[in-house]
């Protein structure tokens, strides 16, 4: 966004001879104006369609048009305000030739210019493409990588960090699947975080997380480096989003192991689903019945299949443009947690925060806000280039 002129506006404002320069500095990009003109026309068109007598014959289409109208209306109203400010500027520009009106005209131009800058910024944000998954619940999957037992302990620390963040946001936390490590922590763990905007807040967490610290088992006091991978997946509505044919599934039941009380080992309550076309395997054994474990495993399976489909789609889009922080590449190292220095660094946006204790206790707001802001800035840049 352009910045307003600093200092006394009367010294910075253009006279008639600088009219073209003034217009150039205050004009929105032609591509954006063209897009806004199209949307204004579309709003008229949708309004006209809704007024037709036969509009309610197809209720699905009627609801769709109403939704589109509701989305377009505030954007077009903002654009009309922008056009009005533009007209006010042109009108005041004409008055600059009149010595009696010059001071008044300059004040009017200054006010209109400021209003146009604010409106342009608001319009740009409203034009950004919306992620249809932003309001979904998520499945968060953490896997221990290089570093053996220390990586598994770090996986446990990351799980606590995310669950504490979820609690701060009053989200629901549900354990879906876990494979505990002998010394504590997890080889792999999947939890469901359910709450408003869960995916929008945590979607940039997918990738490699590296920790540098002295393990509890280290007698020499040497710093070790371990790693975990995190995958954040928008939860699939298995009925609406993913079609899973029973013929494509192999279902195995077995006796659950680990914590959960004596009843857990008496029946074959644990369930393993293998999706033959993709090779995805999901195990669930934390539920109290085979039915419950199968239902949980189906939810995880549907979410993983949808995740693969979305990442394939993103990979195709990335062939033409690569988003800095939205790639979700699991192999990419995105962040380092350095315990001796008490710092966390996100490598994608070069952000270092010296409050590791707070971050590991779920204080992620500063980090998630910075990642979202960076992503918005990228989208705005793309919008300008289109």
């Amino acid at each position: 966004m352009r910045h307003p002129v600093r200092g006394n506006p009367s010294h910075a404002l253009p006279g008639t001879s600088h009219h073209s320069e003034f217009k150039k500095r205050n004009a929105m990009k032609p591509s954006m104006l063209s897009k806004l003109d199209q949307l204004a026309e579309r709003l008229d068109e949708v309004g006209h369609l809704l007024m037709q007598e036969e509009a309610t014959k197809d209720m699905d289409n009627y609801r769709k048009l109403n939704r589109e109208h509701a989305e377009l209306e505030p954007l077009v109203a903002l654009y009309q305000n922008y056009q009005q400010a533009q007209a006010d500027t042109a009108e005041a520009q004409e008055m600059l030739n009149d010595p009696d009106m010059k001071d008044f005209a300059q004040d009017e131009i200054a006010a209109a210019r400021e209003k146009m800058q604010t409106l342009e910024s608001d319009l740009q944000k409203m034009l950004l493409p919306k992620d249809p998954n932003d309001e979904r619940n998520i499945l968060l999957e953490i896997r221990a990588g290089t570093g053996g037992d220390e990586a598994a302990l770090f996986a446990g620390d990351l799980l606590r960090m995310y669950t504490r963040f979820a609690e701060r946001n009053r989200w629901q936390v549900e354990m879906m699947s876990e494979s505990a490590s002998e010394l504590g922590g997890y080889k792999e763990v999947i939890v469901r975080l359910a709450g408003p905007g869960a995916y929008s807040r945590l979607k940039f967490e997918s990738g490699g997380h590296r920790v540098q610290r002295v393990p509890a088992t280290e007698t020499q006091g040497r710093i070790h480096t371990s790693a975990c991978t995190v995958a954040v997946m928008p939860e699939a509505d298995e009925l609406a989003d993913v079609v899973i044919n029973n013929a494509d599934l192999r279902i195995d039941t077995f006796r659950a192991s680990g914590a959960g009380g004596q009843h857990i080992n008496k029946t074959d309550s644990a369930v393993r689903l293998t999706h033959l076309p993709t090779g995805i395997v999901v195990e669930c054994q934390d539920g109290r019945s085979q039915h419950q474990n199968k239902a949980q495993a189906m939810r995880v399976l549907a979410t993983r299949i949808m995740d693969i489909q979305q990442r394939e789609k993103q990979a195709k889009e990335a062939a033409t443009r690569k988003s800095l922080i939205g790639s979700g590449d699991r192999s990419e190292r995105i962040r380092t947690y350095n315990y001796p220095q008490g710092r966390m660094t996100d490598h994608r946006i070069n952000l270092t925060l010296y409050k590791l204790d707070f971050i590991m206790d779920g204080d992620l707001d500063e980090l998630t806000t910075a990642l979202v802001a960076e992503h918005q800035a990228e989208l705005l840049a793309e919008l300008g280039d289109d």
Side-chain angles (χ1 to χ4, degrees), residues 36-47:
L36 288 163
D37 285 334
Q38 285 169 17
L39 293 173
E41 282 174 24
R42 177 61 184 162
L43 180 65
D44 283 344
E45 189 184 336
V46 172

Side-chain angles (χ1 to χ4, degrees), residues 146-160:
T146 52
D149 291 330
E150 171 62 10
L153 289 169
F154 180 49
D157 293 335
L158 286 176
L159 177 65
R160 181 179 182 277

Side-chain angles (χ1 to χ4, degrees), residues 220-241:
Q220 307 285 319
R222 287 173 302 195
I223 294 170
H224 287 229
T225 298
S226 312
C228 289
T229 55
V230 171
V232 176
M233 299 171 283
E235 184 181 36
D237 174 349
E238 61 189 85
L239 298 174
D241 299 320

Side-chain angles (χ1 to χ4, degrees), residues 50 54-68:
L50 287 168
E54 65 272 17
T56 52
K57 282 184 182 171
D58 181 347
M59 282 309 291
D60 277 348
N61 192 49
Y62 184 69
R63 277 192 289 268
K64 192 176 159 191
L65 287 170
N66 262 312
R67 199 161 53 239
E68 188 180 357

Side-chain angles (χ1 to χ4, degrees), residues 129-137 195-201 203 234:
K130 292 185 175 49
D131 187 331
N133 293 320
D134 271 352
E135 289 307 309
R136 286 188 190 244
N137 302 326
Y199 184 69
S200 70
R201 301 289 300 281
K203 64 181 171 183

Side-chain angles (χ1 to χ4, degrees), residues 256-261 264-265 285:
S257 61
I264 204 162
N265 292 317
Q285 58 177 3

Side-chain angles (χ1 to χ4, degrees), residues 17 23 25 91 117 120 140 174 212 215 221 262 291 331:
S17 59
K23 279 184 72 178
R25 279 188 287 142
E91 210 173 295
Q117 285 168 343
E120 181 176 346
L140 174 77
E174 181 186 355
Q212 295 171 325
Q262 290 306 304
H291 178 75
S331 61

Side-chain angles (χ1 to χ4, degrees), residues 351-368:
L351 175 70
T352 295
L353 299 174
Y354 286 89
K355 54 173 193 179
L356 189 58
D357 289 351
F358 293 99
I359 287 167
M360 298 312 291
D361 193 43
D363 182 1
L364 299 178
D365 283 332
E366 189 176 352
L367 174 62
T368 57

